[in-house]
Every structure is written in structure tokens, then in C-alpha cells.
Amino acid sequence: MAKPNVISKGDLIKCAKKCLVDKGIEKFTLRAVAETAGVTQGTIYYHFRTKEQLLVDIVQDICESSWHEISQSNEAVIEQALASAKSRCSYDSYFHKLFFSLVASSFNNEKIKGKLSEIIMIENKALTGNLTKLWTESPIEGVSLETWGIFLNALVDGLALQALLQKDFPIEKTYKEFEQFVSALNNLKSKVSE
């Protein structure tokens, strides 16, 4: 029996994530989300006009949750951010399948493009904010902290794309070396400051 229409948008997003994990993106429908949540489809349409809007909201929720968790830590911020990115980097990552499916959809849908652009800008800003905890200035003259945030975010997304496309992508090795890259930047920054 369906629950009354007293369910929050946040709870629906949680149910939608569960549905996405259980059914996969190919069988993910608003009807399936309604069944998972135990509500009517009308309730889903009240909060999300389209499947694409719900998918974008799921991506935004995951990003905001992970950046909130990372920003609460004052120590090892970059290491924690890399560990979080690595945890979502896999051949069957539903988050990245969803994200890149939405990116492809955004080429023909300005609303999705605008929303994804906002999410990426928020991620870039969060990364830059975390870098300012680590560095007072850029480790390389002429490259701003904002640009470092964009670079690192693009690296994470690029690695995720490669992992989605290559079943044998060396995630462990790549992220270990990514950490060494960031460590080298930190060392470079320390040498410049001396």
C-alpha cells in the first residue's frame, strides 16, 4: 500500500539511489522509484518533473554529501578527497555512469547542462577551498588555486571515465601515484616558501 504523500524530497532521493543501485540505470524509472519509496507516481512527479531532474538531483546530493564530509575534516583534506574519489572510481560505478549519462544528455538539454555546470562549479570551488587549507598560495607561480581546483576535479573525472571504459583500469596504482603527485606539489610548495 502506498504511503501518504508526506515524504520529503530528501527521502525520495535516498529511495531513488537505492532503486538505482538495485535496478541499474537502464531499468531506472520514476515508477520504480515510486515502488521503492512506497508512494504514488504523482508524489514523485510533485518533487521531480522528469527522470532527468531526479537523476541530476541524485548527482548533486552525492556531491554535496561528499564535499560536506570532506570539508568537516581539518587534517588530510586532500587525502580524504582522493580516497572519496577513488571509492567511486570503478568499472561499474553507478555514480559515474549516471554522471556521464547526464553529461551526454546535457548536449541536447540546456536545463541539465545548466544544473551540471552548477554542480561542477560548486565542486571546483570546494576543491579550491580545501586547497587553501593546504596551501596559502599556488605551488607554481602563475597557476592560481582556483585553476588547481579545476585541474584536480578534471583529473578525478577523467580517471573515472577511463575506469568506466576499461575493465582492467589500474585504479589502485593510479590513485597511489595521484597521491604522490599531490605530495610532490606540497613539497614543491614547501621549497618555494623557504
Side-chain angles (χ1 to χ4, degrees), residues 15-159:
C15 291
K17 286 182 201 175
K18 179 178 179 351
C19 181
L20 193 55
V21 169
D22 293 346
K23 298 192 180 294
I25 197 163
E26 297 79 19
K27 295 180 183 175
F28 180 82
T29 64
L30 294 180
R31 175 178 287 175
V33 173
E35 289 171 5
T36 300
V39 298
T40 64
Q41 276 188 264
T43 299
I44 303 298
Y45 283 109
Y46 175 78
H47 291 283
F48 311 98
R49 297 228 185 268
T50 64
K51 175 181 168 179
E52 289 76 19
Q53 180 187 353
L54 175 55
L55 293 171
V56 168
D57 284 355
I58 290 170
V59 168
Q60 183 172 1
D61 181 71
I62 292 169
C63 292
E64 287 174 357
S65 296
S66 88
W67 282 113
H68 176 73
E69 181 181 312
I70 291 166
S71 69
Q72 297 304 305
S73 172
N74 288 330
E75 296 179 24
V77 173
I78 297 301
E79 291 82 0
Q80 192 176 4
L82 286 173
S84 176
K86 179 181 160 189
S87 74
R88 292 189 309 269
C89 186
S90 68
Y91 183 72
D92 58 355
S93 167
Y94 85 85
F95 171 77
H96 285 106
K97 281 183 184 178
L98 170 60
F99 178 74
F100 289 115
S101 294
L102 287 170
V103 168
S105 295
S106 76
F107 297 140
N108 297 312
N109 185 318
E110 288 300 317
K111 279 187 165 182
I112 294 174
K113 184 182 284 186
K115 194 66 173 170
L116 288 178
S117 175
E118 286 176 33
I119 290 169
I120 290 171
M121 286 179 8
I122 289 167
E123 283 189 331
N124 290 342
K125 187 175 179 180
L127 244 174
T128 300
N130 284 314
L131 287 173
T132 60
K133 293 178 184 178
L134 188 63
W135 306 329
T136 54
E137 59 186 46
S138 174
I140 298 177
E141 188 176 333
V143 180
S144 69
L145 291 177
E146 292 81 13
T147 299
W148 279 114
I150 293 167
F151 285 166
L152 293 174
N153 198 16
L155 274 168
V156 167
D157 287 343
L159 293 174

Side-chain angles (χ1 to χ4, degrees), residues 81 165 179:
L165 297 174
E179 286 180 35

